[in-house]
Amino acid sequence: MGDPELSARKVPCEQCPLRCLAAFRPFADVELEFVKEFKSGELIVQAGTAVLLQDTNSAHLYTVLSGWAFRYKMLPDGRRQILNFALPGDLLGLQGSVLDKMEHSVEALTDLTLCLFPRAKLWELYTNHPSLAFDVTWLAAREERMLDEHLLNVGRRTAIERTAYLLLHLFKRAEELGLTEGDNMQFPFLQLHVADALGMSLVHTNNTLRRLADSKAMRWGRKTFQILSRERMAEIAGYDFTERIPRPFI
Amino acid sequence: MGDPELSARKVPCEQCPLRCLAAFRPFADVELEFVKEFKSGELIVQAGTAVLLQDTNSAHLYTVLSGWAFRYKMLPDGRRQILNFALPGDLLGLQGSVLDKMEHSVEALTDLTLCLFPRAKLWELYTNHPSLAFDVTWLAAREERMLDEHLLNVGRRTAIERTAYLLLHLFKRAEELGLTEGDNMQFPFLQLHVADALGMSLVHTNNTLRRLADSKAMRWGRKTFQILSRERMAEIAGYDFTERIPRPFI
DNA sequence: CGACTTGTTGATGTACATCAAGGTACGTGG
DNA sequence: CCACGTACCTTGATGTACATCAACAAGTCG
């Protein structure tokens, strides 16, 4: 697990591979100009490395350019709760930039590339580019909505419902970003990650995944994941097959 | 349970009883001016009444002027998860204003007074008052932080830990707003609310509260709550006795 | 090759939910 | 004043969904 590495290389924002995706809103020229100037570099981290640590405050705000990460909190005795997963386009470190301190940690799930934005210039974004400021709020509200859903999941759904819900949710997010191939995808998670996200033990997670596989709703292989029947998954999860919101910002 | 009632009366923002509390940041004159103009009225709702409903989109953004409310989500079969509690100074309906739809509901726990802000003018706030826009983001980040904590609570703590944590958390929030008297406070919750917030059954919540009372950490009476030993509560909860962040906005 | 990581399975224990009944306070109408 | 209903809390009996413990299997990886 190497240390985070600061990259001299910097993908110019005009060529950002994310902006052309349907999930992101188009940028005005002045916005693009500012963001390009706002972005101070890139951070490349290996899978398994900590990006941000509980109780520290970072000088930067990040967006995920490529790869997967997850936010989590730990109790002194080692119990861990994964709060959510970050995919390309997601904001990381907002709490640290807006509040004083971060009260959660972030770890790279795969090799990860982050765009770096100095928090000192965040204020300039708010004063000069209200549309971008609104996007930041939009992202925060969207993340809160996902947290709401996750909390309902952990608090009130049964093990198999939760598991189906989480897997379906992650698959759909990956799909929006073009990270899937039909019903298959590269799956960076270990069963331990699923367990810690759902507030379950590893063993019980294993049993539950097996039950899902037995019911022919999905398949879980080493680092790959396949949905066999979305309907079945959705039915088990109690998933609302609804909206798809367009996405702004990097 | 009456319908929400729109009030002709409108507390002028200069005399807002919240602004003088230590927990809120001071306003510049222009900010005060704008907020006063932004505020379009007040909504008075009785305890037990729904303020916002899942899957609807409201034309307004709200702040709590007085009283308690809670956000929650329900599953089709009636299981309910309380997401968090709103006290004076909290923002409600941001998701509905920024995203398209609300995916949670809000109910008044006590009689409640809300300040109303038309979402149509939110954009004006972002363009003309970046400091206030930043405050909105600040509030969103703070709420996310509380949700993180709540998720850790429900996912990874035991029943007694969760319960102690929630009660201590609520007590401290009330204390910051001057809603307590020493170690006592008026407590608007039923045990059912605690159960639904913690993802536990009513019966088990009752047992757990009894255990907390037996250990002389707190007392729970009809609509009142008393902390007998903060240390004991904090110890059981695994609570971090730390910071207190100053509060901006209304 | 062993050492380690990840997944799998079974045996056992326990923290929780569910079911059922009753208790206390407080209201309402007679 | 009492009889009655309702809302909320309390307690016990029983069941189950989960955690914990322990062992092993199957891939990596040095």
Side-chain angles (χ1 to χ4, degrees):
Chain A
M1 303 199 186
D3 274 334
E5 175 195 329
L6 211 60
S7 167
R9 176 179 80 92
K10 176 173 153 177
V11 171
C13 295
E14 302 91 329
Q15 294 160 33
C16 179
L18 295 178
R19 291 181 41 252
C20 55
L21 291 172
F24 296 85
R25 77 166 174 89
F27 262 14
D29 288 350
V30 279
E31 289 173 337
L32 187 56
E33 195 74 23
F34 175 79
V35 170
K36 188 179 163 185
E37 147 72 21
F38 186 19
K39 173 173 171 180
S40 69
E42 280 170 25
L43 192 65
I44 300 182
V45 286
Q46 285 186 329
T49 309
V51 183
L52 293 166
L53 277 177
Q54 211 157 334
D55 297 324
T56 62
N57 62 346
S58 155
H60 297 278
L61 185 65
Y62 307 86
T63 57
V64 179
L65 184 55
S66 70
W68 296 67
F70 62 93
R71 298 198 306 124
Y72 66 97
K73 285 177 78 93
M74 296 230 0
L75 258 14
D77 66 359
R79 283 175 287 179
R80 179 174 75 168
Q81 176 68 43
I82 292 184
L83 304 167
N84 61 8
F85 296 94
L87 276 73
D90 286 353
L91 217 47
L92 288 175
L94 182 64
Q95 289 185 39
S97 297
V98 170
L99 276 24
D100 233 33
K101 217 173 35 169
M102 293 255 306
E103 302 210 337
H104 60 265
S105 306
V106 175
E107 184 177 316
L109 197 50
T110 63
D111 288 350
L112 191 67
T113 309
L114 299 170
C115 298
L116 247 110
F117 303 91
R119 81 189 258 190
K121 279 198 205 159
L122 186 58
W123 179 242
E124 191 184 332
L125 183 150
Y126 270 80
T127 46
N128 295 337
H129 296 276
S131 57
L132 295 176
F134 195 84
D135 289 341
V136 171
T137 308
W138 189 93
L139 282 166
R142 167 176 163 279
E143 183 153 322
E144 184 181 311
R145 213 198 37 177
M146 289 193 294
L147 276 173
D148 287 349
E149 192 61 57
H150 194 171
L151 186 53
L152 170 64
N153 220 17
V154 172
R156 284 306 185 196
R157 282 199 251 246
T158 65
I160 198 165
E161 289 169 346
R162 290 181 217 191
T163 308
Y165 191 97
L166 177 67
L167 293 177
L168 192 52
H169 171 75
L170 289 173
F171 186 87
K172 296 187 120 202
R173 289 194 65 194
E175 196 170 38
E176 276 180 23
L177 296 171
L179 265 25
T180 53
E181 294 162 17
D183 290 337
N184 293 278
M185 65 177 289
Q186 293 300 314
F187 217 52
F189 309 103
L190 302 181
Q191 296 190 350
L192 184 59
H193 293 121
V194 176
D196 282 347
L198 297 180
M200 293 163 37
S201 75
L202 183 54
V203 174
H204 194 54
T205 301
N206 181 282
N207 287 329
T208 306
L209 287 170
R210 155 153 299 288
R211 278 197 288 155
L212 274 178
D214 285 349
S215 80
K216 308 229 187 296
M218 60 104 208
R219 272 202 310 215
W220 173 294
R222 2 198 91 270
K223 300 265 173 180
T224 66
F225 175 76
Q226 181 180 15
I227 292 207
L228 295 175
S229 161
R230 296 181 190 223
E231 296 69 31
R232 191 125 189 62
M233 287 290 278
E235 185 189 343
I236 296 173
Y239 198 98
D240 250 3
F241 254 118
T242 42
E243 96 295 10
R244 163 174 315 207
I245 320 180
R247 280 277 286 293
F249 204 63
I250 281 252
Chain B
M1 302 199 188
D3 274 334
E5 175 196 330
L6 211 60
S7 167
R9 177 179 77 94
K10 176 173 154 177
V11 171
C13 296
E14 301 91 328
Q15 294 160 34
C16 180
L18 295 177
R19 290 180 44 250
C20 55
L21 292 171
F24 297 85
R25 76 168 176 88
F27 263 13
D29 288 349
V30 280
E31 289 172 336
L32 187 56
E33 194 74 23
F34 175 79
V35 170
K36 188 179 164 185
E37 147 72 21
F38 187 20
K39 174 174 171 179
S40 67
E42 279 170 24
L43 192 64
I44 299 181
V45 285
Q46 285 188 330
T49 310
V51 182
L52 293 166
L53 277 176
Q54 210 158 337
D55 298 323
T56 61
N57 61 346
S58 155
H60 296 279
L61 184 64
Y62 307 85
T63 57
V64 178
L65 183 57
S66 71
W68 296 68
F70 62 93
R71 298 199 307 124
Y72 67 97
K73 285 176 79 91
M74 297 232 356
L75 291 171
D77 65 0
R79 283 175 286 179
R80 178 174 76 167
Q81 177 67 45
I82 291 184
L83 304 167
N84 61 9
F85 296 94
L87 276 74
D90 286 353
L91 216 48
L92 289 175
L94 182 63
Q95 289 186 38
S97 297
V98 170
L99 277 24
D100 233 32
K101 219 174 34 172
M102 294 255 304
E103 302 210 337
H104 60 264
S105 307
V106 175
E107 184 177 315
L109 197 51
T110 63
D111 288 350
L112 190 68
T113 310
L114 300 170
C115 299
L116 249 109
F117 303 92
R119 84 188 257 191
K121 279 199 205 159
L122 185 57
W123 179 241
E124 190 184 332
L125 182 150
Y126 270 79
T127 48
N128 295 337
H129 296 275
S131 57
L132 294 176
F134 196 86
D135 289 342
V136 171
T137 307
W138 189 95
L139 282 166
R142 166 175 163 281
E143 183 153 323
E144 183 181 312
R145 211 197 40 177
M146 290 193 293
L147 275 173
D148 287 350
E149 193 61 57
H150 194 171
L151 187 51
L152 171 64
N153 220 15
V154 172
R156 284 305 186 198
R157 284 200 250 245
T158 65
I160 198 164
E161 289 170 347
R162 294 182 214 189
T163 308
Y165 191 97
L166 177 66
L167 293 178
L168 192 51
H169 170 76
L170 290 172
F171 186 86
K172 297 189 116 202
R173 290 193 64 194
E175 197 170 39
E176 276 180 26
L177 296 171
L179 266 23
T180 54
E181 292 162 20
D183 290 336
N184 294 277
M185 65 176 289
Q186 293 300 315
F187 216 53
F189 310 103
L190 303 182
Q191 296 189 351
L192 184 59
H193 293 120
V194 176
D196 282 346
L198 297 179
M200 293 163 39
S201 74
L202 181 56
V203 173
H204 195 53
T205 301
N206 180 281
N207 287 329
T208 306
L209 287 170
R210 153 157 297 290
R211 278 197 289 155
L212 274 177
D214 284 349
S215 80
K216 309 227 187 294
M218 60 106 207
R219 271 202 309 215
W220 173 295
R222 0 200 92 270
K223 300 266 173 179
T224 67
F225 174 76
Q226 180 179 17
I227 292 207
L228 296 175
S229 162
R230 296 180 191 224
E231 297 68 32
R232 190 124 190 65
M233 286 290 277
E235 185 188 343
I236 296 173
Y239 199 98
D240 249 3
F241 254 119
T242 42
E243 94 294 12
R244 162 172 317 206
I245 320 180
R247 281 277 285 292
F249 203 64
I250 283 246

